[in-house]
Amino acid sequence: MSDVPFRNPGWAGNTGEFDLSEADVRGTTYAGERPLDGGHPSTSASYPFMLVARNPGAPLFEGPYQERFEKIRGRYPTARAALLPALNLAQEIRGHVSPETMDEVAALLGLSSAYVRGVATFYTMYNKRPVGRFLIQVCTNISCNLCGADEVLAAFLQHTDTELGDTSADENFTVVEAECLAACGFPTCVQINERYFEDVAAGDVPDILRRLTDELKGD
């Protein structure tokens, strides 16, 4: 564990009238399946877009994914407004957004390839090349940096045997820096695919990686 002073434990205990555990509050015991078609149209554009299972060669939008794409398109007044969630959906399926994928999304939305590529390359949330099954983003901005983010980043690189931005030999892990993950009250914050891990210290890294590896074994 980190020896950084004033470390926020990230959990104040049960302070309300409900008997809830930390896992209940944080949703770490979430059970259920997100419908691939997006469910209600109001939620179709808000799904996480980094999953463990992905297929870079999969057709872009077919079956339930086609339904979700149509729901997304119907939620926005213009094709440009629907572009970001459409790219999110493409990345969920394929794991990254290649130039060819950008061109496919452009054709489906009736936009120019140049416009879509300009948008996709502006945002760091879109992977422009394949990444590991778990994309580990370590915040190194000021709050996390002051609370040991450099040590956390170094620990992830050490225990995954990777260099920054590279993918491990087993294709399970890619470790990158994140500018800010908007969890400044619980540094160091780490986002792994769509999940947040708050108050992470270098000593926590082996357990986090073990948990992720166990999840793969359970699939």
PDB file of all heavy atoms in Angstrom, residues 34-47 61-79 81-86 89 108-109:
ATOM      1  N   ARG A  34     -26.306  -6.619 -20.518  1.00  0.00           N
ATOM      2  CA  ARG A  34     -26.767  -5.453 -21.259  1.00  0.00           C
ATOM      3  C   ARG A  34     -27.246  -5.927 -22.623  1.00  0.00           C
ATOM      4  O   ARG A  34     -26.487  -6.567 -23.349  1.00  0.00           O
ATOM      5  CB  ARG A  34     -25.638  -4.442 -21.431  1.00  0.00           C
ATOM      6  CG  ARG A  34     -25.069  -3.895 -20.143  1.00  0.00           C
ATOM      7  CD  ARG A  34     -23.982  -2.879 -20.465  1.00  0.00           C
ATOM      8  NE  ARG A  34     -23.404  -2.300 -19.268  1.00  0.00           N
ATOM      9  CZ  ARG A  34     -22.293  -2.752 -18.683  1.00  0.00           C
ATOM     10  NH1 ARG A  34     -21.665  -3.783 -19.196  1.00  0.00           N
ATOM     11  NH2 ARG A  34     -21.823  -2.178 -17.609  1.00  0.00           N
ATOM     12  N   PRO A  35     -28.471  -5.632 -22.994  1.00  0.00           N
ATOM     13  CA  PRO A  35     -28.965  -6.104 -24.294  1.00  0.00           C
ATOM     14  C   PRO A  35     -28.166  -5.473 -25.432  1.00  0.00           C
ATOM     15  O   PRO A  35     -27.928  -4.262 -25.441  1.00  0.00           O
ATOM     16  CB  PRO A  35     -30.424  -5.652 -24.307  1.00  0.00           C
ATOM     17  CG  PRO A  35     -30.491  -4.520 -23.327  1.00  0.00           C
ATOM     18  CD  PRO A  35     -29.477  -4.834 -22.276  1.00  0.00           C
ATOM     19  N   LEU A  36     -27.740  -6.290 -26.379  1.00  0.00           N
ATOM     20  CA  LEU A  36     -26.923  -5.786 -27.475  1.00  0.00           C
ATOM     21  C   LEU A  36     -27.663  -4.773 -28.328  1.00  0.00           C
ATOM     22  O   LEU A  36     -27.047  -3.922 -28.973  1.00  0.00           O
ATOM     23  CB  LEU A  36     -26.446  -6.952 -28.348  1.00  0.00           C
ATOM     24  CG  LEU A  36     -25.531  -7.977 -27.680  1.00  0.00           C
ATOM     25  CD1 LEU A  36     -25.114  -9.048 -28.691  1.00  0.00           C
ATOM     26  CD2 LEU A  36     -24.307  -7.309 -27.082  1.00  0.00           C
ATOM     27  N   ASP A  37     -29.014  -4.858 -28.331  1.00  0.00           N
ATOM     28  CA  ASP A  37     -29.770  -3.917 -29.153  1.00  0.00           C
ATOM     29  C   ASP A  37     -29.932  -2.556 -28.482  1.00  0.00           C
ATOM     30  O   ASP A  37     -30.564  -1.660 -29.032  1.00  0.00           O
ATOM     31  CB  ASP A  37     -31.141  -4.491 -29.516  1.00  0.00           C
ATOM     32  CG  ASP A  37     -32.048  -4.708 -28.303  1.00  0.00           C
ATOM     33  OD1 ASP A  37     -31.671  -4.318 -27.174  1.00  0.00           O
ATOM     34  OD2 ASP A  37     -33.148  -5.270 -28.484  1.00  0.00           O
ATOM     35  N   GLY A  38     -29.363  -2.401 -27.283  1.00  0.00           N
ATOM     36  CA  GLY A  38     -29.408  -1.109 -26.617  1.00  0.00           C
ATOM     37  C   GLY A  38     -30.582  -0.895 -25.703  1.00  0.00           C
ATOM     38  O   GLY A  38     -30.650   0.127 -25.022  1.00  0.00           O
ATOM     39  N   GLY A  39     -31.516  -1.851 -25.675  1.00  0.00           N
ATOM     40  CA  GLY A  39     -32.674  -1.664 -24.809  1.00  0.00           C
ATOM     41  C   GLY A  39     -33.512  -0.481 -25.234  1.00  0.00           C
ATOM     42  O   GLY A  39     -33.742  -0.256 -26.434  1.00  0.00           O
ATOM     43  N   HIS A  40     -33.941   0.308 -24.273  1.00  0.00           N
ATOM     44  CA  HIS A  40     -34.755   1.481 -24.587  1.00  0.00           C
ATOM     45  C   HIS A  40     -33.926   2.481 -25.388  1.00  0.00           C
ATOM     46  O   HIS A  40     -32.734   2.676 -25.109  1.00  0.00           O
ATOM     47  CB  HIS A  40     -35.256   2.130 -23.293  1.00  0.00           C
ATOM     48  CG  HIS A  40     -36.314   3.161 -23.519  1.00  0.00           C
ATOM     49  ND1 HIS A  40     -36.014   4.468 -23.861  1.00  0.00           N
ATOM     50  CD2 HIS A  40     -37.674   3.077 -23.467  1.00  0.00           C
ATOM     51  CE1 HIS A  40     -37.139   5.145 -23.996  1.00  0.00           C
ATOM     52  NE2 HIS A  40     -38.157   4.323 -23.770  1.00  0.00           N
ATOM     53  N   PRO A  41     -34.529   3.141 -26.374  1.00  0.00           N
ATOM     54  CA  PRO A  41     -33.769   4.103 -27.185  1.00  0.00           C
ATOM     55  C   PRO A  41     -33.048   5.172 -26.372  1.00  0.00           C
ATOM     56  O   PRO A  41     -31.988   5.662 -26.776  1.00  0.00           O
ATOM     57  CB  PRO A  41     -34.848   4.719 -28.086  1.00  0.00           C
ATOM     58  CG  PRO A  41     -35.873   3.650 -28.221  1.00  0.00           C
ATOM     59  CD  PRO A  41     -35.903   2.952 -26.888  1.00  0.00           C
ATOM     60  N   SER A  42     -33.597   5.529 -25.208  1.00  0.00           N
ATOM     61  CA  SER A  42     -32.975   6.584 -24.409  1.00  0.00           C
ATOM     62  C   SER A  42     -31.627   6.170 -23.837  1.00  0.00           C
ATOM     63  O   SER A  42     -30.804   7.012 -23.484  1.00  0.00           O
ATOM     64  CB  SER A  42     -33.904   7.011 -23.272  1.00  0.00           C
ATOM     65  OG  SER A  42     -34.111   5.937 -22.365  1.00  0.00           O
ATOM     66  N   THR A  43     -31.386   4.849 -23.737  1.00  0.00           N
ATOM     67  CA  THR A  43     -30.113   4.376 -23.193  1.00  0.00           C
ATOM     68  C   THR A  43     -29.185   3.826 -24.268  1.00  0.00           C
ATOM     69  O   THR A  43     -28.043   3.468 -23.975  1.00  0.00           O
ATOM     70  CB  THR A  43     -30.351   3.278 -22.146  1.00  0.00           C
ATOM     71  OG1 THR A  43     -30.957   2.130 -22.771  1.00  0.00           O
ATOM     72  CG2 THR A  43     -31.253   3.771 -21.025  1.00  0.00           C
ATOM     73  N   SER A  44     -29.644   3.762 -25.492  1.00  0.00           N
ATOM     74  CA  SER A  44     -28.887   3.081 -26.540  1.00  0.00           C
ATOM     75  C   SER A  44     -27.553   3.748 -26.836  1.00  0.00           C
ATOM     76  O   SER A  44     -26.617   3.096 -27.303  1.00  0.00           O
ATOM     77  CB  SER A  44     -29.723   3.021 -27.830  1.00  0.00           C
ATOM     78  OG  SER A  44     -30.061   4.335 -28.271  1.00  0.00           O
ATOM     79  N   ALA A  45     -27.440   5.042 -26.556  1.00  0.00           N
ATOM     80  CA  ALA A  45     -26.207   5.760 -26.876  1.00  0.00           C
ATOM     81  C   ALA A  45     -25.254   5.871 -25.697  1.00  0.00           C
ATOM     82  O   ALA A  45     -24.186   6.471 -25.829  1.00  0.00           O
ATOM     83  CB  ALA A  45     -26.550   7.165 -27.381  1.00  0.00           C
ATOM     84  N   SER A  46     -25.626   5.298 -24.558  1.00  0.00           N
ATOM     85  CA  SER A  46     -24.852   5.531 -23.341  1.00  0.00           C
ATOM     86  C   SER A  46     -24.099   4.309 -22.848  1.00  0.00           C
ATOM     87  O   SER A  46     -23.581   4.307 -21.740  1.00  0.00           O
ATOM     88  CB  SER A  46     -25.776   6.043 -22.226  1.00  0.00           C
ATOM     89  OG  SER A  46     -26.772   5.089 -21.917  1.00  0.00           O
ATOM     90  N   TYR A  47     -24.037   3.257 -23.649  1.00  0.00           N
ATOM     91  CA  TYR A  47     -23.361   2.042 -23.215  1.00  0.00           C
ATOM     92  C   TYR A  47     -21.847   2.239 -23.181  1.00  0.00           C
ATOM     93  O   TYR A  47     -21.302   3.048 -23.935  1.00  0.00           O
ATOM     94  CB  TYR A  47     -23.679   0.902 -24.176  1.00  0.00           C
ATOM     95  CG  TYR A  47     -24.963   0.174 -23.870  1.00  0.00           C
ATOM     96  CD1 TYR A  47     -26.000   0.786 -23.194  1.00  0.00           C
ATOM     97  CD2 TYR A  47     -25.148  -1.133 -24.274  1.00  0.00           C
ATOM     98  CE1 TYR A  47     -27.172   0.121 -22.925  1.00  0.00           C
ATOM     99  CE2 TYR A  47     -26.322  -1.818 -24.021  1.00  0.00           C
ATOM    100  CZ  TYR A  47     -27.336  -1.180 -23.337  1.00  0.00           C
ATOM    101  OH  TYR A  47     -28.490  -1.844 -23.065  1.00  0.00           O
ATOM    102  N   PHE A  61     -22.317  -3.384 -38.237  1.00  0.00           N
ATOM    103  CA  PHE A  61     -23.603  -3.347 -37.538  1.00  0.00           C
ATOM    104  C   PHE A  61     -24.542  -4.357 -38.188  1.00  0.00           C
ATOM    105  O   PHE A  61     -25.057  -4.129 -39.286  1.00  0.00           O
ATOM    106  CB  PHE A  61     -24.221  -1.950 -37.606  1.00  0.00           C
ATOM    107  CG  PHE A  61     -23.347  -0.862 -37.039  1.00  0.00           C
ATOM    108  CD1 PHE A  61     -23.223   0.357 -37.685  1.00  0.00           C
ATOM    109  CD2 PHE A  61     -22.636  -1.065 -35.865  1.00  0.00           C
ATOM    110  CE1 PHE A  61     -22.421   1.358 -37.166  1.00  0.00           C
ATOM    111  CE2 PHE A  61     -21.823  -0.078 -35.338  1.00  0.00           C
ATOM    112  CZ  PHE A  61     -21.717   1.145 -35.992  1.00  0.00           C
ATOM    113  N   GLU A  62     -24.775  -5.464 -37.487  1.00  0.00           N
ATOM    114  CA  GLU A  62     -25.710  -6.472 -37.949  1.00  0.00           C
ATOM    115  C   GLU A  62     -26.554  -6.954 -36.780  1.00  0.00           C
ATOM    116  O   GLU A  62     -26.139  -6.881 -35.624  1.00  0.00           O
ATOM    117  CB  GLU A  62     -24.973  -7.670 -38.574  1.00  0.00           C
ATOM    118  CG  GLU A  62     -24.352  -7.384 -39.922  1.00  0.00           C
ATOM    119  CD  GLU A  62     -23.813  -8.646 -40.587  1.00  0.00           C
ATOM    120  OE1 GLU A  62     -23.740  -9.689 -39.904  1.00  0.00           O
ATOM    121  OE2 GLU A  62     -23.472  -8.584 -41.782  1.00  0.00           O
ATOM    122  N   GLY A  63     -27.738  -7.484 -37.076  1.00  0.00           N
ATOM    123  CA  GLY A  63     -28.597  -8.039 -36.043  1.00  0.00           C
ATOM    124  C   GLY A  63     -28.929  -7.024 -34.967  1.00  0.00           C
ATOM    125  O   GLY A  63     -29.332  -5.893 -35.272  1.00  0.00           O
ATOM    126  N   PRO A  64     -28.726  -7.380 -33.681  1.00  0.00           N
ATOM    127  CA  PRO A  64     -29.061  -6.447 -32.604  1.00  0.00           C
ATOM    128  C   PRO A  64     -28.221  -5.166 -32.647  1.00  0.00           C
ATOM    129  O   PRO A  64     -28.687  -4.111 -32.229  1.00  0.00           O
ATOM    130  CB  PRO A  64     -28.787  -7.255 -31.330  1.00  0.00           C
ATOM    131  CG  PRO A  64     -27.878  -8.362 -31.752  1.00  0.00           C
ATOM    132  CD  PRO A  64     -28.250  -8.673 -33.157  1.00  0.00           C
ATOM    133  N   TYR A  65     -26.989  -5.270 -33.154  1.00  0.00           N
ATOM    134  CA  TYR A  65     -26.175  -4.061 -33.276  1.00  0.00           C
ATOM    135  C   TYR A  65     -26.757  -3.112 -34.312  1.00  0.00           C
ATOM    136  O   TYR A  65     -26.655  -1.885 -34.177  1.00  0.00           O
ATOM    137  CB  TYR A  65     -24.734  -4.419 -33.640  1.00  0.00           C
ATOM    138  CG  TYR A  65     -23.931  -4.949 -32.476  1.00  0.00           C
ATOM    139  CD1 TYR A  65     -23.405  -6.230 -32.491  1.00  0.00           C
ATOM    140  CD2 TYR A  65     -23.697  -4.159 -31.355  1.00  0.00           C
ATOM    141  CE1 TYR A  65     -22.663  -6.721 -31.418  1.00  0.00           C
ATOM    142  CE2 TYR A  65     -22.966  -4.634 -30.283  1.00  0.00           C
ATOM    143  CZ  TYR A  65     -22.448  -5.914 -30.328  1.00  0.00           C
ATOM    144  OH  TYR A  65     -21.720  -6.381 -29.256  1.00  0.00           O
ATOM    145  N   GLN A  66     -27.374  -3.645 -35.353  1.00  0.00           N
ATOM    146  CA  GLN A  66     -28.051  -2.799 -36.327  1.00  0.00           C
ATOM    147  C   GLN A  66     -29.229  -2.081 -35.665  1.00  0.00           C
ATOM    148  O   GLN A  66     -29.468  -0.893 -35.905  1.00  0.00           O
ATOM    149  CB  GLN A  66     -28.531  -3.629 -37.511  1.00  0.00           C
ATOM    150  CG  GLN A  66     -29.334  -2.846 -38.556  1.00  0.00           C
ATOM    151  CD  GLN A  66     -28.507  -1.800 -39.279  1.00  0.00           C
ATOM    152  OE1 GLN A  66     -27.303  -1.971 -39.434  1.00  0.00           O
ATOM    153  NE2 GLN A  66     -29.141  -0.721 -39.709  1.00  0.00           N
ATOM    154  N   GLU A  67     -29.956  -2.823 -34.806  1.00  0.00           N
ATOM    155  CA  GLU A  67     -31.067  -2.205 -34.083  1.00  0.00           C
ATOM    156  C   GLU A  67     -30.561  -1.056 -33.205  1.00  0.00           C
ATOM    157  O   GLU A  67     -31.182   0.010 -33.153  1.00  0.00           O
ATOM    158  CB  GLU A  67     -31.776  -3.242 -33.215  1.00  0.00           C
ATOM    159  CG  GLU A  67     -32.525  -4.314 -33.980  1.00  0.00           C
ATOM    160  CD  GLU A  67     -33.248  -5.264 -33.040  1.00  0.00           C
ATOM    161  OE1 GLU A  67     -33.933  -4.775 -32.117  1.00  0.00           O
ATOM    162  OE2 GLU A  67     -33.101  -6.484 -33.209  1.00  0.00           O
ATOM    163  N   ARG A  68     -29.447  -1.295 -32.515  1.00  0.00           N
ATOM    164  CA  ARG A  68     -28.934  -0.232 -31.643  1.00  0.00           C
ATOM    165  C   ARG A  68     -28.475   0.964 -32.466  1.00  0.00           C
ATOM    166  O   ARG A  68     -28.692   2.116 -32.073  1.00  0.00           O
ATOM    167  CB  ARG A  68     -27.790  -0.729 -30.768  1.00  0.00           C
ATOM    168  CG  ARG A  68     -27.548   0.229 -29.602  1.00  0.00           C
ATOM    169  CD  ARG A  68     -26.265   0.057 -28.848  1.00  0.00           C
ATOM    170  NE  ARG A  68     -25.876  -1.300 -28.561  1.00  0.00           N
ATOM    171  CZ  ARG A  68     -24.740  -1.587 -27.919  1.00  0.00           C
ATOM    172  NH1 ARG A  68     -23.936  -0.623 -27.520  1.00  0.00           N
ATOM    173  NH2 ARG A  68     -24.406  -2.845 -27.695  1.00  0.00           N
ATOM    174  N   PHE A  69     -27.822   0.702 -33.601  1.00  0.00           N
ATOM    175  CA  PHE A  69     -27.391   1.807 -34.452  1.00  0.00           C
ATOM    176  C   PHE A  69     -28.581   2.646 -34.899  1.00  0.00           C
ATOM    177  O   PHE A  69     -28.528   3.885 -34.881  1.00  0.00           O
ATOM    178  CB  PHE A  69     -26.633   1.261 -35.665  1.00  0.00           C
ATOM    179  CG  PHE A  69     -26.286   2.319 -36.674  1.00  0.00           C
ATOM    180  CD1 PHE A  69     -25.267   3.231 -36.429  1.00  0.00           C
ATOM    181  CD2 PHE A  69     -26.988   2.412 -37.861  1.00  0.00           C
ATOM    182  CE1 PHE A  69     -24.955   4.221 -37.349  1.00  0.00           C
ATOM    183  CE2 PHE A  69     -26.682   3.391 -38.794  1.00  0.00           C
ATOM    184  CZ  PHE A  69     -25.665   4.300 -38.535  1.00  0.00           C
ATOM    185  N   GLU A  70     -29.672   1.987 -35.275  1.00  0.00           N
ATOM    186  CA  GLU A  70     -30.857   2.726 -35.712  1.00  0.00           C
ATOM    187  C   GLU A  70     -31.467   3.520 -34.558  1.00  0.00           C
ATOM    188  O   GLU A  70     -31.957   4.648 -34.758  1.00  0.00           O
ATOM    189  CB  GLU A  70     -31.869   1.754 -36.301  1.00  0.00           C
ATOM    190  CG  GLU A  70     -31.406   1.136 -37.620  1.00  0.00           C
ATOM    191  CD  GLU A  70     -32.311   0.031 -38.116  1.00  0.00           C
ATOM    192  OE1 GLU A  70     -33.285  -0.305 -37.394  1.00  0.00           O
ATOM    193  OE2 GLU A  70     -32.076  -0.489 -39.216  1.00  0.00           O
ATOM    194  N   LYS A  71     -31.431   2.960 -33.356  1.00  0.00           N
ATOM    195  CA  LYS A  71     -31.924   3.709 -32.196  1.00  0.00           C
ATOM    196  C   LYS A  71     -31.049   4.932 -31.941  1.00  0.00           C
ATOM    197  O   LYS A  71     -31.545   6.018 -31.627  1.00  0.00           O
ATOM    198  CB  LYS A  71     -31.943   2.816 -30.960  1.00  0.00           C
ATOM    199  CG  LYS A  71     -32.989   1.716 -30.992  1.00  0.00           C
ATOM    200  CD  LYS A  71     -32.855   0.793 -29.787  1.00  0.00           C
ATOM    201  CE  LYS A  71     -33.836  -0.355 -29.847  1.00  0.00           C
ATOM    202  NZ  LYS A  71     -33.681  -1.297 -28.728  1.00  0.00           N
ATOM    203  N   ILE A  72     -29.727   4.740 -32.041  1.00  0.00           N
ATOM    204  CA  ILE A  72     -28.809   5.870 -31.854  1.00  0.00           C
ATOM    205  C   ILE A  72     -29.097   6.951 -32.888  1.00  0.00           C
ATOM    206  O   ILE A  72     -29.191   8.133 -32.550  1.00  0.00           O
ATOM    207  CB  ILE A  72     -27.348   5.380 -31.959  1.00  0.00           C
ATOM    208  CG1 ILE A  72     -26.985   4.546 -30.734  1.00  0.00           C
ATOM    209  CG2 ILE A  72     -26.389   6.567 -32.108  1.00  0.00           C
ATOM    210  CD1 ILE A  72     -25.637   3.859 -30.831  1.00  0.00           C
ATOM    211  N   ARG A  73     -29.216   6.533 -34.152  1.00  0.00           N
ATOM    212  CA  ARG A  73     -29.459   7.520 -35.211  1.00  0.00           C
ATOM    213  C   ARG A  73     -30.759   8.267 -34.974  1.00  0.00           C
ATOM    214  O   ARG A  73     -30.855   9.475 -35.234  1.00  0.00           O
ATOM    215  CB  ARG A  73     -29.490   6.803 -36.572  1.00  0.00           C
ATOM    216  CG  ARG A  73     -29.641   7.749 -37.762  1.00  0.00           C
ATOM    217  CD  ARG A  73     -28.475   8.696 -37.867  1.00  0.00           C
ATOM    218  NE  ARG A  73     -28.705   9.708 -38.895  1.00  0.00           N
ATOM    219  CZ  ARG A  73     -29.317  10.864 -38.690  1.00  0.00           C
ATOM    220  NH1 ARG A  73     -29.796  11.153 -37.462  1.00  0.00           N
ATOM    221  NH2 ARG A  73     -29.472  11.733 -39.649  1.00  0.00           N
ATOM    222  N   GLY A  74     -31.765   7.560 -34.435  1.00  0.00           N
ATOM    223  CA  GLY A  74     -33.062   8.188 -34.191  1.00  0.00           C
ATOM    224  C   GLY A  74     -33.073   9.126 -32.999  1.00  0.00           C
ATOM    225  O   GLY A  74     -34.017   9.914 -32.833  1.00  0.00           O
ATOM    226  N   ARG A  75     -32.042   9.068 -32.159  1.00  0.00           N
ATOM    227  CA  ARG A  75     -31.983   9.921 -30.970  1.00  0.00           C
ATOM    228  C   ARG A  75     -31.440  11.306 -31.272  1.00  0.00           C
ATOM    229  O   ARG A  75     -31.528  12.206 -30.437  1.00  0.00           O
ATOM    230  CB  ARG A  75     -31.106   9.269 -29.895  1.00  0.00           C
ATOM    231  CG  ARG A  75     -31.668   8.007 -29.296  1.00  0.00           C
ATOM    232  CD  ARG A  75     -32.847   8.293 -28.395  1.00  0.00           C
ATOM    233  NE  ARG A  75     -32.484   9.094 -27.252  1.00  0.00           N
ATOM    234  CZ  ARG A  75     -33.359   9.633 -26.399  1.00  0.00           C
ATOM    235  NH1 ARG A  75     -34.647   9.467 -26.592  1.00  0.00           N
ATOM    236  NH2 ARG A  75     -32.951  10.346 -25.370  1.00  0.00           N
ATOM    237  N   TYR A  76     -30.841  11.489 -32.425  1.00  0.00           N
ATOM    238  CA  TYR A  76     -30.156  12.746 -32.727  1.00  0.00           C
ATOM    239  C   TYR A  76     -30.727  13.368 -33.991  1.00  0.00           C
ATOM    240  O   TYR A  76     -31.091  12.674 -34.936  1.00  0.00           O
ATOM    241  CB  TYR A  76     -28.652  12.496 -32.890  1.00  0.00           C
ATOM    242  CG  TYR A  76     -27.994  12.015 -31.620  1.00  0.00           C
ATOM    243  CD1 TYR A  76     -27.873  10.653 -31.353  1.00  0.00           C
ATOM    244  CD2 TYR A  76     -27.536  12.916 -30.663  1.00  0.00           C
ATOM    245  CE1 TYR A  76     -27.289  10.198 -30.177  1.00  0.00           C
ATOM    246  CE2 TYR A  76     -26.947  12.474 -29.491  1.00  0.00           C
ATOM    247  CZ  TYR A  76     -26.829  11.122 -29.254  1.00  0.00           C
ATOM    248  OH  TYR A  76     -26.259  10.677 -28.089  1.00  0.00           O
ATOM    249  N   PRO A  77     -30.789  14.707 -34.029  1.00  0.00           N
ATOM    250  CA  PRO A  77     -31.415  15.381 -35.177  1.00  0.00           C
ATOM    251  C   PRO A  77     -30.575  15.333 -36.441  1.00  0.00           C
ATOM    252  O   PRO A  77     -31.105  15.485 -37.541  1.00  0.00           O
ATOM    253  CB  PRO A  77     -31.591  16.822 -34.680  1.00  0.00           C
ATOM    254  CG  PRO A  77     -30.510  16.997 -33.654  1.00  0.00           C
ATOM    255  CD  PRO A  77     -30.383  15.667 -32.978  1.00  0.00           C
ATOM    256  N   THR A  78     -29.262  15.150 -36.306  1.00  0.00           N
ATOM    257  CA  THR A  78     -28.396  15.126 -37.482  1.00  0.00           C
ATOM    258  C   THR A  78     -27.435  13.942 -37.392  1.00  0.00           C
ATOM    259  O   THR A  78     -27.172  13.413 -36.307  1.00  0.00           O
ATOM    260  CB  THR A  78     -27.565  16.411 -37.604  1.00  0.00           C
ATOM    261  OG1 THR A  78     -26.656  16.493 -36.499  1.00  0.00           O
ATOM    262  CG2 THR A  78     -28.473  17.648 -37.618  1.00  0.00           C
ATOM    263  N   ALA A  79     -26.889  13.562 -38.533  1.00  0.00           N
ATOM    264  CA  ALA A  79     -25.917  12.467 -38.563  1.00  0.00           C
ATOM    265  C   ALA A  79     -24.653  12.849 -37.807  1.00  0.00           C
ATOM    266  O   ALA A  79     -24.045  12.009 -37.138  1.00  0.00           O
ATOM    267  CB  ALA A  79     -25.584  12.121 -40.011  1.00  0.00           C
ATOM    268  N   ALA A  81     -24.420  14.646 -35.180  1.00  0.00           N
ATOM    269  CA  ALA A  81     -24.664  14.519 -33.744  1.00  0.00           C
ATOM    270  C   ALA A  81     -24.603  13.067 -33.291  1.00  0.00           C
ATOM    271  O   ALA A  81     -24.274  12.786 -32.134  1.00  0.00           O
ATOM    272  CB  ALA A  81     -26.026  15.121 -33.392  1.00  0.00           C
ATOM    273  N   ALA A  82     -24.898  12.129 -34.188  1.00  0.00           N
ATOM    274  CA  ALA A  82     -24.898  10.706 -33.844  1.00  0.00           C
ATOM    275  C   ALA A  82     -23.528  10.069 -34.022  1.00  0.00           C
ATOM    276  O   ALA A  82     -23.366   8.879 -33.726  1.00  0.00           O
ATOM    277  CB  ALA A  82     -25.913   9.966 -34.711  1.00  0.00           C
ATOM    278  N   LEU A  83     -22.537  10.833 -34.471  1.00  0.00           N
ATOM    279  CA  LEU A  83     -21.255  10.250 -34.826  1.00  0.00           C
ATOM    280  C   LEU A  83     -20.525   9.626 -33.640  1.00  0.00           C
ATOM    281  O   LEU A  83     -20.013   8.502 -33.732  1.00  0.00           O
ATOM    282  CB  LEU A  83     -20.365  11.303 -35.500  1.00  0.00           C
ATOM    283  CG  LEU A  83     -18.951  10.860 -35.863  1.00  0.00           C
ATOM    284  CD1 LEU A  83     -18.979   9.613 -36.738  1.00  0.00           C
ATOM    285  CD2 LEU A  83     -18.204  11.993 -36.555  1.00  0.00           C
ATOM    286  N   LEU A  84     -20.435  10.334 -32.510  1.00  0.00           N
ATOM    287  CA  LEU A  84     -19.675   9.804 -31.383  1.00  0.00           C
ATOM    288  C   LEU A  84     -20.236   8.475 -30.873  1.00  0.00           C
ATOM    289  O   LEU A  84     -19.490   7.507 -30.706  1.00  0.00           O
ATOM    290  CB  LEU A  84     -19.584  10.838 -30.262  1.00  0.00           C
ATOM    291  CG  LEU A  84     -18.800  12.117 -30.579  1.00  0.00           C
ATOM    292  CD1 LEU A  84     -18.666  12.972 -29.321  1.00  0.00           C
ATOM    293  CD2 LEU A  84     -17.429  11.807 -31.143  1.00  0.00           C
ATOM    294  N   PRO A  85     -21.548   8.377 -30.597  1.00  0.00           N
ATOM    295  CA  PRO A  85     -22.050   7.070 -30.153  1.00  0.00           C
ATOM    296  C   PRO A  85     -21.929   5.989 -31.226  1.00  0.00           C
ATOM    297  O   PRO A  85     -21.788   4.805 -30.897  1.00  0.00           O
ATOM    298  CB  PRO A  85     -23.508   7.342 -29.768  1.00  0.00           C
ATOM    299  CG  PRO A  85     -23.862   8.634 -30.407  1.00  0.00           C
ATOM    300  CD  PRO A  85     -22.596   9.412 -30.491  1.00  0.00           C
ATOM    301  N   ALA A  86     -21.975   6.365 -32.501  1.00  0.00           N
ATOM    302  CA  ALA A  86     -21.782   5.373 -33.555  1.00  0.00           C
ATOM    303  C   ALA A  86     -20.350   4.851 -33.537  1.00  0.00           C
ATOM    304  O   ALA A  86     -20.108   3.649 -33.715  1.00  0.00           O
ATOM    305  CB  ALA A  86     -22.121   5.974 -34.915  1.00  0.00           C
ATOM    306  N   LEU A  89     -19.988   2.470 -30.651  1.00  0.00           N
ATOM    307  CA  LEU A  89     -20.546   1.160 -30.970  1.00  0.00           C
ATOM    308  C   LEU A  89     -19.576   0.363 -31.845  1.00  0.00           C
ATOM    309  O   LEU A  89     -19.376  -0.837 -31.637  1.00  0.00           O
ATOM    310  CB  LEU A  89     -21.898   1.327 -31.662  1.00  0.00           C
ATOM    311  CG  LEU A  89     -22.642   0.049 -32.046  1.00  0.00           C
ATOM    312  CD1 LEU A  89     -22.840  -0.858 -30.851  1.00  0.00           C
ATOM    313  CD2 LEU A  89     -23.992   0.405 -32.675  1.00  0.00           C
ATOM    314  N   LEU A 108     -22.247   4.905 -43.490  1.00  0.00           N
ATOM    315  CA  LEU A 108     -23.533   4.608 -42.861  1.00  0.00           C
ATOM    316  C   LEU A 108     -24.256   5.876 -42.429  1.00  0.00           C
ATOM    317  O   LEU A 108     -25.490   5.933 -42.445  1.00  0.00           O
ATOM    318  CB  LEU A 108     -23.319   3.690 -41.656  1.00  0.00           C
ATOM    319  CG  LEU A 108     -22.960   2.240 -41.981  1.00  0.00           C
ATOM    320  CD1 LEU A 108     -22.477   1.516 -40.732  1.00  0.00           C
ATOM    321  CD2 LEU A 108     -24.158   1.511 -42.585  1.00  0.00           C
ATOM    322  N   LEU A 109     -23.507   6.889 -42.038  1.00  0.00           N
ATOM    323  CA  LEU A 109     -24.115   8.142 -41.576  1.00  0.00           C
ATOM    324  C   LEU A 109     -24.244   9.175 -42.685  1.00  0.00           C
ATOM    325  O   LEU A 109     -24.810  10.250 -42.464  1.00  0.00           O
ATOM    326  CB  LEU A 109     -23.293   8.725 -40.418  1.00  0.00           C
ATOM    327  CG  LEU A 109     -23.337   7.958 -39.100  1.00  0.00           C
ATOM    328  CD1 LEU A 109     -22.380   8.585 -38.087  1.00  0.00           C
ATOM    329  CD2 LEU A 109     -24.757   7.934 -38.527  1.00  0.00           C
TER     330      LEU A 109
END
